[in-house]
Structures are given as structure tokens and as C-alpha cells.
Amino acid sequence: SQQGEEDPQALSIQEGENATMNCSYKTSINNLQWYRQNSGRGLVHLILIRSNEREKHSGRLRVTLDTSKKSSSLLITASRAADTASYFCATDRDSGGGADGLTFGKGTHLIIQP
Amino acid sequence: NAGVTQTPKFQVLKTGQSMTLQCAQDMNHEYMSWYRQDPGMGLRLIHYSVGAGITDQGEVPNGYNVSRSTTEDFPLRLLSAAPSQTSVYFCASSGSPRVPQHFGDGTRLSIL
């Protein structure tokens, strides 16, 4: 079953604007990760935020995590055409040490208009 | 570094045929996994392995077999292909299941 759900499903903005994507999940987690997927390629890891962290930055990326609401957001500032891609959140279920991998949401397709 | 290499990149099969999707990584990662990606469904875990000789089922294992005889290789076998297995298949590896995963570029599989 899908753990994470991204919102919106699609987002189109002008170059230079900020893009915000949201992710909601259902069960307790150890960490939450964001990935980017360019068309026809595999997923590339962007950032990981642990369950005891509230905010994390990496370059133009800012991720927040609210475990009480079971939600996360990814902010891309000063967007560029190269940011056009699909973005996925992924959670690892807090399964007591289980090793059963990540659960991905359905993704947000971001289009940056020049 | 090659990272995670998947072959073939594209494949068309007829219903009932069998085939093996190859995945190799050169990062000495213990953890490897297979996902399928369908439109509007995100990625779903098929099988995973925490080391050579150890495999387990993920969310959607039916119709697929895996084995892990070496640290580097984690092939995915379709036993009798069905149209419902038309998808893009991704292999990933990492040092453990909860750290960032390294993905291959996928195998696009069509079952007619």
C-alpha cells in the first residue's frame, strides 16, 4: 500500500519562482527521504530528514517534517529549468528493525517554464 | 563509478515467456532491492536482499523470483510473463535499507 502521498500531483511555475511540494504519510517512521526523477531516468536522492528533525537545508532545497501531522514539505527556491522533474517522498516504516525498504508516494510532476 | 547498472534497458516479451532482468552494483552495498513503477502508482517494492544468500518479499512479489549469490548482482526473474507485469523496473542499492538508495536507470518491459 502507498505510505506517502504527494500533493499536488502536478505543478507548473515560472523560472525563478519557488516550488513547494507536500507529502503525507500514514504510519510511524524513522526517516523521510525526497528523490528526484528526470524523464526516462532512475531516482536520485535529494535529502533525508530524520524523525527527530524538523527542518533541513541542502543548497536551494528546504525540507520540513511534522511528525504530529505525519507530513513533510519540499521547497525548491529560485527554480531553474533543470529542476523540471518528478519528485517523490519515501518513508521507511518503523517496523522494529525490519529491513523491508522504502515506501514511495505517487510523486509530484514539476514543470519549470522559462 | 558505474553505480547501479541494469540490463536490458528495453524488452518486449510475449505472454508466458520468461526472462531475467539483470542488476549489478560496484559499491559493495549489502542492501539491494527491486521496484516496479507504474503510471499513477509510484514505486512498489517487489523483493529485497540484505546480503548475499538472503532475500525476502516486498509488497508485490507474485510472479517474480530473485536470488543473491554475490554481493554485486541481484537478478529479477519473471517466471511466466503476464500483461500486468508491463512496467518500468528499477533496481536500487545502499549500505542499509534506511539510508539513501542508489537507483539504476531502469528496464522498460512490455508484455504483449
Side-chain angles (χ1 to χ4, degrees), chain B residues 93-105:
Chain B
S93 75
S94 68
S96 75
R98 290 177 178 166
V99 301
Q101 305 289 306
H102 298 259
F103 282 83
D105 280 338

Side-chain angles (χ1 to χ4, degrees), chain B residues 23 25 29-30 32 49 51-53 67-75:
Chain B
C23 175
Q25 52 93 6
H29 285 160
E30 290 295 327
M32 297 185 75
S49 169
S67 59
R68 185 93 180 271
S69 57
T70 67
T71 299
E72 295 78 19
D73 300 298
F74 190 42

Side-chain angles (χ1 to χ4, degrees), chain B residues 11-92:
Chain B
Q11 185 71 48
V12 179
L13 293 178
K14 295 181 180 178
T15 298
Q17 288 185 315
S18 62
M19 80 159 294
T20 299
L21 280 63
Q22 302 291 344
C23 175
Q25 52 93 6
D26 61 0
M27 297 171 283
N28 202 33
H29 285 160
E30 290 295 327
Y31 181 79
M32 297 185 75
S33 55
W34 277 102
Y35 293 86
R36 60 178 289 174
Q37 184 177 32
D38 301 299
M41 293 292 293
L43 277 77
R44 292 181 291 170
L45 182 66
I46 305 172
H47 284 286
Y48 64 94
S49 169
V50 298
I54 306 170
T55 64
D56 208 342
Q57 296 180 351
E59 180 185 356
V60 288
N62 291 342
Y64 308 95
N65 273 357
V66 292
S67 59
R68 185 93 180 271
S69 57
T70 67
T71 299
E72 295 78 19
D73 300 298
F74 190 42
L76 177 72
R77 297 183 186 84
L78 277 70
L79 308 173
S80 178
S84 61
Q85 294 178 303
T86 292
S87 189
V88 183
Y89 292 84
F90 289 98
C91 179

Side-chain angles (χ1 to χ4, degrees), chain A residues 34-82:
Chain A
W34 284 91
Y35 288 80
R36 183 187 75 234
Q37 183 181 33
N38 291 97
S39 180
R41 303 299 300 273
L43 279 71
V44 174
H45 179 262
L46 295 175
I47 197 165
L48 180 152
I49 186 166
R50 302 190 189 285
S51 59
N52 62 354
E53 297 176 313
R54 292 296 169 259
E55 187 172 311
K56 202 162 184 179
H57 297 255
S58 177
R60 294 184 295 112
L61 305 180
R62 172 179 172 256
V63 169
T64 62
L65 179 64
D66 187 335
T67 52
S68 66
K69 295 181 179 178
K70 292 186 170 59
S71 67
S72 173
S73 67
L74 170 66
L75 169 67
I76 303 174
T77 61
S79 63
R80 306 167 181 170

